[in-house]
Amino acid sequence: MELRLLEYFLAVCEYQHFTKAAETLRISQPTLSHQIKLLESYVGTPLFKRVGRKTYITQAGHILLGHSQKVFYELDQANLKIKEIQGLKRGKLSISCSGNHLITPSVISFNQKYPEIELSIQALTTEETITGLLNNEVNLGVIFDQIQNDQIDFSPLFMEEFFIVVSAQHELAQLEAISFKELNSIPLIFLTQRYLIRQFIDQLCIQEGFSLRPKIELNSLDSLLEMIQFNKFATILPHSYLESRNNVTIKKIPIVNPKPQKTIGLVYRKNAYKDSTMDAFINHLLQSYNVTFN
Amino acid sequence: MELRLLEYFLAVCEYQHFTKAAETLRISQPTLSHQIKLLESYVGTPLFKRVGRKTYITQAGHILLGHSQKVFYELDQANLKIKEIQGLKRGKLSISCSGNHLITPSVISFNQKYPEIELSIQALTTEETITGLLNNEVNLGVIFDQIQNDQIDFSPLFMEEFFIVVSAQHELAQLEAISFKELNSIPLIFLTQRYLIRQFIDQLCIQEGFSLRPKIELNSLDSLLEMIQFNKFATILPHSYLESRNNVTIKKIPIVNPKPQKTIGLVYRKNAYKDSTMDAFINHLLQSYNVTFN
DNA sequence: GATAACGATAGATGCTATCTATGATTGAGG
DNA sequence: CCTCAATCATAGATAGCATCTATCGTTATC
């Protein structure tokens, strides 16, 4: 049975008159009669009582009428909601990032602009983000670069710089800058090797001819920051994270020669259809960091 | 947009696989691809994300999925209810009769047999019943005969006999029978001339050479019965009514020579489609009165 | 790098919704 | 009682579209 038949049916119900209904439907009266007959054969019972010049709806007709109206209501609703998505009045987006701090400001401004769009943000490792993207569990990722996967598109957002971080009472607190090599002799706490930040710094150390030996390894930036407060250790943290935790009791010291920095970028599935929700968020992020966007 | 497209869409959603969906739908894969594309052009946005060998549902697809399921639910419900009507598990019937007493026993037994069918019964004059039938406000009527309307079908149910009725203390209370002519000399109360019973008796009187002059005219059988209790008057009432008001304080006396009687019959619109509800009630009535039914 | 899996595309075909013309029935008016 | 207009049903022709088979392009997998 087809929707067209139900449309015809509703028109006949409205006018209780085949000829008038056919006119409004812009079809010929024989066609309408024929199609209603077809519908009646589908439901197995007459829907109208044709007596003389008048047409009445039968019991079965009344029942079908009610449910047909609901059918069209559902279709209208679906249409409306889809249009809302296209107009950014509705939507969902699942974002994965290597540290919430990377996108927190953008997320807030995006939500102010499009308050009806639901954002789900989770901090995951770069690896987890990629598998999430490939399994379609995640729409977007924000990660450090170095991705070599031809399924994934990468767009640079900004350059992340890494600082030595100590408490204000630490012996190094007054230094203007620290050269990279000095890391070899400073008592450090740092992230575990699962983290791309750690891997990145480790690699730089090898290039500089030594290897990093943190006194303590932890698996969250927040834990590192907390440990710093005991005045004993230094650690290395990304600039954007320090911005998000504007903490006066700590001191950040630039590292020089070489300056460790890394591109932060947006990743999503290559060739994937970007619905308007995703498109809007991507553009918003690029705009936030003054990246030219297409 | 057609329901077929939604069926195809649901199948693809279920399997997330065009070829498998096409197989269960018993159509070819190219047809399915083509039809889904058509649906996507109708809703104005992709419903599936085809990436490599895998197929994912888009946001818009999810929305359409939910509403499509509701659409099919509504259609199922309509179908179910219509089938229930045909199986007499559901239904409505509007009945008009010249006195509820004519069908009370049948109505009760019908309700016991088909408790889910709603009956609306109203006592109206024969004339009102006929216009009700013609205006489609009433499905069935039970009336005294004499109907001359080629729009209406008449099926006899039983023969109604009319009795002289007096209180047990009335001076005529002991008579075995009264001849029709004696009505001329008995102080009577009777229905107004709007009633077919009255018209019928009036006509018989004229045939017998006199005219009826009731001392009081009333417009309900119950009022007549009440008046009788004052021992002063006699009245004429139909047998079926007296059966329904089994009142020991009154006495019914047969009228003879001629015996006034009248066929009670079932009326409904000629050529009208009789749905199963109506058919069941008609057959039930005919059976109740041992009339052969077709 | 060959192969299998899978969806998209192209062109042919058959079903069916649609049309016009006409018939049948009904109701209103002279 | 007859005629005419209104209304829905029927019949046959036609055109549009869903469907098919054959084939291509791309993507994983061994």
Side-chain angles (χ1 to χ4, degrees), chain A residues 93-195:
Chain A
L93 206 56
S94 170
I95 302 163
S96 168
C97 55
S98 307
N100 290 336
H101 60 279
L102 294 174
I103 53 168
T104 305
S106 298
V107 165
I108 297 213
S109 56
F110 185 81
N111 173 258
Q112 275 167 356
K113 200 165 171 189
Y114 307 114
E116 303 304 333
I117 293 179
E118 297 170 32
L119 298 175
S120 161
I121 296 148
Q122 49 190 339
L124 295 176
T125 66
T126 299
E127 211 174 301
E128 287 170 331
T129 298
I130 299 302
T131 43
L133 284 174
L134 295 180
N135 293 339
N136 238 53
E137 293 152 6
V138 165
N139 300 123
L140 277 181
V142 177
I143 57 174
F144 299 95
D145 70 5
Q146 304 280 45
I147 295 312
Q148 302 184 1
N149 189 321
D150 54 3
Q151 295 271 44
I152 303 289
D153 261 345
F154 181 89
S155 298
L157 285 173
F158 62 93
M159 195 61 88
E160 180 76 291
E161 202 175 325
F162 297 89
F163 287 80
I164 291 282
V165 180
V166 294
S167 79
Q169 282 75 45
H170 193 277
E171 53 179 3
L172 303 175
Q174 302 311 320
L175 293 180
E176 288 291 311
I178 292 180
S179 84
F180 192 88
K181 275 212 177 81
E182 293 180 67
L183 289 180
N184 201 9
S185 54
I186 297 173
L188 272 183
I189 62 177
F190 206 9
L191 289 168
T192 58
Q193 291 181 321
R194 235 176 109 246
Y195 280 80

Side-chain angles (χ1 to χ4, degrees), chain B residues 65-78:
Chain B
L65 173 59
H67 288 282
S68 294
Q69 285 166 339
K70 285 185 187 166
V71 162
F72 287 105
Y73 172 77
E74 291 300 333
L75 293 175
D76 276 351
Q77 286 295 302

Side-chain angles (χ1 to χ4, degrees), chain A residues 17-19 29-30 33 37 50 53 55 151 271:
Chain A
H17 195 288
F18 279 69
T19 306
Q29 168 269 314
S33 291
K37 215 173 182 183
R50 290 89 156 165
R53 287 193 195 175
T55 301
Q151 295 271 44
N271 304 324

Side-chain angles (χ1 to χ4, degrees), chain B residues 94-105:
Chain B
S94 171
I95 303 163
S96 169
C97 55
S98 306
N100 289 336
H101 60 280
L102 294 174
I103 53 167
T104 304

Side-chain angles (χ1 to χ4, degrees), chain B residues 100-146:
Chain B
N100 289 336
H101 60 280
L102 294 174
I103 53 167
T104 304
S106 297
V107 164
I108 297 208
S109 55
F110 185 81
N111 173 257
Q112 277 166 351
K113 198 165 172 189
Y114 306 115
E116 304 304 333
I117 294 178
E118 296 170 33
L119 298 175
S120 161
I121 296 148
Q122 49 191 340
L124 295 175
T125 66
T126 298
E127 211 174 302
E128 288 169 331
T129 296
I130 299 302
T131 45
L133 284 173
L134 294 179
N135 292 339
N136 240 51
E137 293 152 6
V138 166
N139 301 122
L140 277 181
V142 176
I143 57 173
F144 299 95
D145 72 4
Q146 304 281 39

Side-chain angles (χ1 to χ4, degrees), chain B residues 43-112:
Chain B
V43 301
T45 182
L47 299 168
F48 298 101
K49 197 154 82 170
R50 290 89 156 165
V51 39
R53 286 193 195 173
K54 280 189 179 165
T55 301
Y56 302 97
I57 306 174
T58 63
Q59 277 195 84
H62 267 114
I63 288 171
L64 187 61
L65 173 59
H67 288 282
S68 294
Q69 285 166 339
K70 285 185 187 166
V71 162
F72 287 105
Y73 172 77
E74 291 300 333
L75 293 175
D76 276 351
Q77 286 295 302
N79 223 12
L80 212 71
K81 287 187 187 173
I82 289 172
K83 291 284 170 293
E84 282 180 355
I85 286 178
Q86 289 167 326
L88 302 169
K89 293 282 188 190
R90 177 188 291 266
K92 280 183 181 179
L93 205 56
S94 171
I95 303 163
S96 169
C97 55
S98 306
N100 289 336
H101 60 280
L102 294 174
I103 53 167
T104 304
S106 297
V107 164
I108 297 208
S109 55
F110 185 81
N111 173 257
Q112 277 166 351

Side-chain angles (χ1 to χ4, degrees), chain B:
Chain B
M1 199 229 299
E2 298 300 339
L3 280 183
R4 185 174 28 79
L5 293 184
L6 294 186
E7 281 168 27
Y8 293 177
F9 170 70
L10 288 188
V12 178
C13 285
E14 187 178 346
Y15 294 103
Q16 309 233 1
H17 195 289
F18 280 69
T19 306
K20 275 183 207 154
E23 273 169 26
T24 37
L25 288 170
R26 313 297 211 102
I27 61 172
S28 70
Q29 168 268 314
T31 301
L32 183 57
S33 290
H34 191 254
Q35 293 298 101
I36 292 294
K37 213 173 184 183
L38 193 64
L39 180 58
E40 288 177 328
S41 87
Y42 287 152
V43 301
T45 182
L47 299 168
F48 298 101
K49 197 154 82 170
R50 290 89 156 165
V51 39
R53 286 193 195 173
K54 280 189 179 165
T55 301
Y56 302 97
I57 306 174
T58 63
Q59 277 195 84
H62 267 114
I63 288 171
L64 187 61
L65 173 59
H67 288 282
S68 294
Q69 285 166 339
K70 285 185 187 166
V71 162
F72 287 105
Y73 172 77
E74 291 300 333
L75 293 175
D76 276 351
Q77 286 295 302
N79 223 12
L80 212 71
K81 287 187 187 173
I82 289 172
K83 291 284 170 293
E84 282 180 355
I85 286 178
Q86 289 167 326
L88 302 169
K89 293 282 188 190
R90 177 188 291 266
K92 280 183 181 179
L93 205 56
S94 171
I95 303 163
S96 169
C97 55
S98 306
N100 289 336
H101 60 280
L102 294 174
I103 53 167
T104 304
S106 297
V107 164
I108 297 208
S109 55
F110 185 81
N111 173 257
Q112 277 166 351
K113 198 165 172 189
Y114 306 115
E116 304 304 333
I117 294 178
E118 296 170 33
L119 298 175
S120 161
I121 296 148
Q122 49 191 340
L124 295 175
T125 66
T126 298
E127 211 174 302
E128 288 169 331
T129 296
I130 299 302
T131 45
L133 284 173
L134 294 179
N135 292 339
N136 240 51
E137 293 152 6
V138 166
N139 301 122
L140 277 181
V142 176
I143 57 173
F144 299 95
D145 72 4
Q146 304 281 39
I147 295 310
Q148 304 185 357
N149 189 321
D150 54 4
Q151 297 270 45
I152 302 289
D153 260 345
F154 182 88
S155 298
L157 284 175
F158 62 93
M159 195 60 88
E160 179 76 293
E161 203 175 324
F162 297 89
F163 286 78
I164 291 282
V165 179
V166 293
S167 79
Q169 285 74 44
H170 192 278
E171 52 179 3
L172 302 176
Q174 301 314 319
L175 291 181
E176 288 293 310
I178 292 178
S179 85
F180 192 88
K181 275 213 174 82
E182 292 180 66
L183 289 180
N184 201 10
S185 53
I186 296 172
L188 272 183
I189 63 179
F190 207 9
L191 289 168
T192 59
Q193 289 180 323
R194 235 176 110 247
Y195 281 79
L196 221 136
I197 298 179
R198 169 69 186 273
Q199 291 167 26
F200 168 62
I201 299 293
D202 275 356
Q203 209 170 359
L204 271 185
C205 291
I206 288 163
Q207 280 170 27
E208 295 299 314
F210 64 97
S211 72
L212 215 58
R213 290 224 181 71
K215 304 299 179 192
I216 301 173
E217 286 180 351
L218 293 166
N219 69 352
S220 91
L221 299 177
D222 281 333
S223 317
L224 288 177
L225 202 57
E226 208 173 338
M227 276 281 180
I228 288 303
Q229 317 288 334
F230 295 104
N231 305 333
K232 200 168 172 198
F233 297 110
T235 188
I236 303 169
L237 288 169
H239 179 254
S240 67
Y241 175 73
L242 293 169
E243 287 292 300
S244 75
R245 310 290 143 110
N246 208 346
N247 190 329
V248 290
T249 70
I250 61 163
K251 194 86 206 304
K252 66 174 197 272
I253 308 163
I255 305 173
V256 294
N257 196 16
K259 179 160 97 178
Q261 55 185 14
K262 210 149 180 49
T263 308
I264 298 299
L266 188 57
V267 282
Y268 49 85
R269 268 192 101 120
K270 207 173 242 175
N271 304 325
Y273 164 71
K274 290 199 278 286
D275 60 39
S276 50
T277 312
M278 189 160 152
D279 206 50
F281 191 82
I282 290 175
N283 283 334
H284 186 82
L285 259 190
L286 294 177
Q287 248 180 312
S288 301
Y289 294 106
N290 284 316
V291 182
T292 337
F293 56 97
N294 22 359

